Amino acid sequence: MSLAAYCVICCRRIRTLTPPPKSTTYWRDISDGSLFLTYEVLALKKSLTLDTQVVEKEKMKSYIYVHTVSLDKRENYDTFSTVDVEDHECAVWLLLRKSQSGDRAARLQAVQEMSETHHWQDYQYRIIAQACDLRTLIGLARSKESDLRFFLPPPPLPSLKEDSSIEEELRQLLASLPQTELDECIQYFTSLALSESSQSLAAQKGGLWCFGGNGLPYAESFGEVPSATVEMFCLEALVKHSEIPTHCDKIEANGGLQLLQRLYQLHKDCPKIQRNIMRIIGNMALNEHLHSTIVRSGWVSILAEAVKSHRIMEASHAARTLANLDRETMQEKYQDGVYVLHPQYRTSQPIKADVLFIHGLMGAAFKTWRQQDSEQVLTEKILEDEASYTTCWPKTWLARDCPALRIISVEYDTSLSDWRTRCPMERKSIAFRSNELLRKLRAAGVGDRPVIWVSHSMGGLLVKKMLLEASKKPEMSTVINNTRGIIFYSVPHHGSHLAEYSVNIRYLLFPSLEVKELSKDSPALKTLQDDFLEFAKDKNFQVLNFVETLPTYIGSMIKLHVVPVESADLGIGDLIPVDVDHLNICKPKKKDAFLYQRTLQFICETLAKDLEN
């Protein structure tokens, strides 16, 4: 290809004043305004031959800011007669400058304009990525329409130490954290992770191996523990440690952000590992002094991609972390187990009320609220079309029908049997869990606007206990005053057959504390019911009760009616029997099914005045 090239250096001062008469500009006078130098290669057909593909692809431009003095210090006021910058290129720099304005409204508008821009060239997105500040980058990550080219790839990760592995470095990170004055469950998870890691390392290296000078050998004959299992043990422990602010500082100081990023990239095919890593980063993001380190380590680009995922759990974990990083538009902080299903991005839609979803025994923040399973539904179809099947109807259906709602789902650990508990030392009563959840929800701003509680099974007992506890604390008074309604899906207000059945076959099930508290003769359950009815007498909130009519299979051997009609009768509000089992009472078959439509009707009618204002 034959090209003639020459260089034209064009200088332009961006300003709004009326330009004075033209005059000659000297280099020594370039000392004012926001200046940049533009280097352009202009194509000609004669004179010089260049063998390059760069010129053919696009006119590459690089910019240099010149820091200058203010106008009032200039002796001579000159302008530049040559301008060779296209309008849309000026916009890049103007938006960058606007995004760093002292005016918050101007900054937010600049981020919104950037996110809505889709006609720029690659290098223009890269200019923003390299020149924007932390606040702008997080804002772009939390903007639904943002192009992923705004986010630079994470910086190269440091090499692993010689003769080391990710598993061993993960163990060393865990061992470096304080091990005293810890919750029993943190001690349990840490001990389990370190012992399993040691066993696995002994198998990998051969012979005996000791860690921490404690002289506990692990023989190769024990066999090798799968690496992913060991890593999961370590991550479970790190999740618990990351709930302690001082431990977050240690994780960051010991290279935890980079190590977790390496593990995240390595296990792209293991959502459970990735979710636990997201939980750790989300917990660390609760500490504002760590925000700059989290951003510099490259996590924002990973989060920006994850929040756009079609997998609801992946997107929700990323959305929680980004919300905790976004101090420009967020006052609330979302602690571990509190997930915003809507809105997950910055929005201009005013949020007028909250709807909270509290799962029950053996439930979860997402799977409890999925659409009722169908034998005809395949995973591939679920991923392709959430209009025909949703893995979380509050996020997919309710958010579209009521966009002015903030929809939150919470998660906490429960178990049917002490055999299956994740932490043998964790025997949390309904009273303990309710205080823990209430504290987390208040930190998320629950109580600042009208609230509707939606609960399934044991989750309804937690809601009742939370409201009773909030009524005793002046600082929680807004939670009570703003509660507009409660929906109970098969809540055992008067006890469950599950508790009776498990006690009778204790040798098979060994009921957990949660199950024991559901027994009909439980003093705590009766007290809770009596206290709540007394509390609700003079309160102006609405109540809707659903109850199953079909038995539920628990495993392959047990079939029972978990919550009978008489137990689901709170004594307040409508009681509606539905021909489903206990698991499906909160899982509508489809969007136009009675379960969902009646739920939607209750929410809309109860919040009618609040949504109109």
Side-chain angles (χ1 to χ4, degrees):
M1 167 179 88
S2 294
L3 293 174
Y6 71 93
C7 299
V8 176
I9 299 179
C10 307
C11 301
R12 179 184 183 183
R13 174 169 44 235
I14 300 176
R15 58 189 179 81
T16 57
L17 298 174
T18 304
K22 296 181 179 179
S23 62
T24 305
T25 302
Y26 299 96
W27 284 105
R28 64 176 178 273
D29 292 329
I30 300 177
S31 59
D32 179 67
S34 298
L35 299 179
F36 55 83
L37 304 179
T38 305
Y39 179 82
E40 295 192 274
V41 179
L42 304 180
L44 296 176
K45 292 275 183 156
K46 300 178 182 178
S47 136
L48 185 64
T49 299
L50 295 177
D51 185 17
T52 176
Q53 295 181 354
V54 176
V55 179
E56 189 67 25
K57 287 181 179 179
E58 64 179 350
K59 296 187 296 181
M60 297 298 294
K61 307 174 192 287
S62 59
Y63 301 86
I64 303 172
Y65 275 116
V66 179
H67 298 285
T68 60
V69 297
S70 60
L71 277 175
D72 55 6
K73 296 181 180 179
R74 290 283 308 274
E75 293 181 2
N76 299 316
Y77 187 79
D78 296 333
T79 188
F80 298 99
S81 58
T82 304
V83 174
D84 189 31
V85 180
E86 299 174 13
D87 290 342
H88 68 274
E89 292 173 5
C90 290
V92 174
W93 295 98
L94 288 170
L95 284 176
L96 266 174
R97 183 174 182 178
K98 189 175 180 181
S99 71
Q100 299 175 17
S101 166
D103 180 7
R104 177 177 176 273
R107 294 197 301 269
L108 294 178
Q109 184 182 5
V111 171
Q112 182 179 347
E113 290 178 16
M114 287 180 188
S115 69
E116 293 173 351
T117 302
H118 302 289
H119 62 272
W120 285 345
Q121 300 294 325
D122 282 352
Y123 73 88
Q124 292 170 302
Y125 289 103
R126 296 306 179 197
I127 290 171
I128 299 288
Q130 294 179 52
C132 72
D133 58 12
L134 177 151
R135 204 164 40 192
T136 303
L137 188 67
I138 293 170
L140 288 170
R142 293 199 70 234
S143 300
K144 188 173 184 178
E145 302 301 323
S146 285
D147 194 300
L148 290 177
R149 287 175 291 179
F150 279 122
F151 310 99
L152 296 173
L157 296 171
S159 302
L160 289 174
K161 297 175 184 176
E162 188 176 350
D163 195 29
S164 182
S165 64
I166 291 181
E167 179 190 319
E168 186 170 359
E169 294 208 359
L170 201 57
R171 183 197 67 81
Q172 290 173 356
L173 173 64
L174 187 57
S176 71
L177 301 178
Q179 305 296 322
T180 57
E181 300 180 4
L182 297 179
D183 173 276
E184 285 185 332
C185 278
I186 299 181
Q187 292 180 14
Y188 169 77
F189 282 120
T190 303
S191 174
L192 182 64
L194 291 178
S195 64
E196 291 291 0
S197 296
S198 304
Q199 179 179 335
S200 177
L201 286 166
Q204 290 176 21
K205 297 186 176 183
L208 302 180
W209 186 80
C210 300
F211 73 93
N214 61 7
L216 296 177
Y218 291 86
E220 185 177 8
S221 59
F222 283 174
E224 182 176 351
V225 178
S227 177
T229 302
V230 175
E231 290 162 355
M232 184 59 73
F233 282 136
C234 290
L235 289 174
E236 290 276 9
L238 285 171
V239 167
K240 295 293 185 181
H241 279 279
S242 66
E243 294 176 358
I244 305 172
T246 54
H247 291 210
C248 290
D249 294 339
K250 290 281 187 180
I251 292 172
E252 184 274 323
N254 294 329
L257 289 170
Q258 291 77 17
L259 181 60
L260 291 171
Q261 191 177 125
R262 186 189 301 278
L263 196 61
Y264 185 90
Q265 302 291 6
L266 184 65
H267 289 286
K268 290 184 177 180
D269 58 342
C270 187
K272 190 172 182 180
I273 285 182
Q274 288 196 327
R275 286 196 298 270
N276 272 332
I277 293 172
M278 284 285 191
R279 288 174 67 189
I280 297 168
I281 304 302
N283 290 345
M284 294 179 70
L286 291 167
N287 305 282
E288 294 185 34
H289 66 280
L290 294 178
H291 286 187
S292 59
T293 310
I294 293 172
V295 172
R296 287 198 305 271
S297 64
W299 271 104
V300 173
S301 62
I302 296 172
L303 294 167
E305 183 176 359
V307 78
K308 295 179 184 295
S309 172
H310 57 263
R311 295 183 177 88
I312 288 177
M313 283 196 283
E314 181 182 356
S316 299
H317 278 79
R320 171 190 168 241
T321 305
L322 286 170
N324 285 339
L325 289 171
D326 185 7
R327 297 299 92 193
E328 179 85 339
T329 63
M330 303 293 295
Q331 298 298 320
E332 306 87 353
K333 290 189 175 182
Y334 298 100
Q335 298 186 28
D336 190 34
V338 180
Y339 301 99
V340 176
L341 303 180
H342 174 81
Q344 294 188 333
Y345 298 96
R346 286 186 179 181
T347 177
S348 57
Q349 167 74 56
I351 300 302
K352 300 181 178 180
D354 290 339
V355 178
L356 311 180
F357 286 81
I358 317 293
H359 69 77
L361 199 62
M362 297 298 291
F366 306 99
K367 73 175 185 180
T368 292
W369 313 106
R370 68 184 183 275
Q371 186 175 347
Q372 187 172 330
D373 296 333
S374 169
E375 293 180 2
Q376 286 76 30
V377 176
L378 301 176
T379 301
E380 291 77 9
K381 291 184 179 179
I382 293 174
L383 298 181
E384 289 174 4
D385 185 12
E386 284 194 343
S388 62
Y389 184 91
T390 175
T391 54
C392 186
W393 61 261
K395 182 181 187 300
T396 308
W397 297 345
L398 185 59
R400 290 175 185 169
D401 289 333
C402 301
L405 299 178
R406 180 177 65 156
I407 303 171
I408 291 177
S409 187
V410 303
E411 184 158 306
Y412 56 96
D413 296 326
T414 63
S415 60
L416 285 176
S417 166
D418 280 344
W419 279 356
R420 298 296 304 276
T421 185
R422 292 175 63 249
C423 173
M425 280 72 73
E426 186 174 58
R427 298 176 181 275
K428 293 183 178 178
S429 64
I430 289 174
F432 183 91
R433 290 189 190 279
S434 65
N435 275 298
E436 187 177 50
L437 283 178
L438 185 60
R439 174 181 55 81
K440 289 183 176 183
L441 290 173
R442 191 68 193 99
V446 171
D448 293 342
R449 55 175 72 93
V451 181
I452 285 183
W453 305 79
V454 183
S455 59
H456 174 235
S457 189
M458 193 182 82
L461 303 180
L462 284 173
V463 170
K464 290 161 62 177
K465 189 64 176 176
M466 277 191 280
L467 291 175
L468 285 173
E469 291 300 319
S471 69
K472 302 173 185 176
K473 301 175 181 178
E475 68 274 16
M476 296 287 182
S477 60
T478 56
V479 175
I480 302 299
N481 297 335
N482 276 321
T483 291
R484 299 287 191 269
I486 311 172
I487 298 176
F488 295 109
Y489 288 108
S490 283
V491 173
H493 301 290
H494 305 283
S496 168
H497 289 320
L498 176 64
E500 298 173 3
Y501 196 83
S502 61
V503 169
N504 291 336
I505 55 169
R506 171 183 305 264
Y507 65 92
L508 177 66
L509 196 57
F510 285 104
S512 62
L513 176 59
E514 296 98 324
V515 171
K516 291 175 184 176
E517 284 192 315
L518 300 182
S519 62
K520 289 189 175 182
D521 58 353
S522 167
L525 196 61
K526 186 177 187 308
T527 301
L528 175 61
Q529 172 66 5
D530 294 342
D531 290 350
F532 186 79
L533 289 178
E534 183 66 26
F535 157 79
K537 275 183 180 178
D538 59 345
K539 299 298 183 295
N540 188 29
F541 54 72
Q542 304 299 309
V543 175
L544 177 62
N545 303 277
F546 292 101
V547 61
E548 78 237 30
T549 61
L550 301 180
T552 303
Y553 284 93
I554 299 177
S556 58
M557 300 174 61
I558 305 173
K559 177 183 178 182
L560 72 156
H561 202 149
V562 178
V563 180
V565 174
E566 60 272 17
S567 182
D569 187 359
L570 175 65
I572 305 174
D574 295 337
L575 176 63
I576 303 176
V578 185
D579 292 333
V580 292
D581 63 19
H582 187 70
L583 298 178
N584 288 318
I585 189 67
C586 54
K587 299 176 179 63
K589 284 187 176 180
K590 48 187 178 179
K591 190 175 181 182
D592 60 3
F594 171 77
L595 261 176
Y596 175 71
Q597 289 300 319
R598 185 66 183 89
T599 298
L600 177 63
Q601 179 187 358
F602 177 86
I603 291 172
C604 292
E605 289 178 354
T606 304
L607 294 174
K609 292 182 179 179
D610 299 299
L611 296 178
E612 286 175 3
N613 294 334

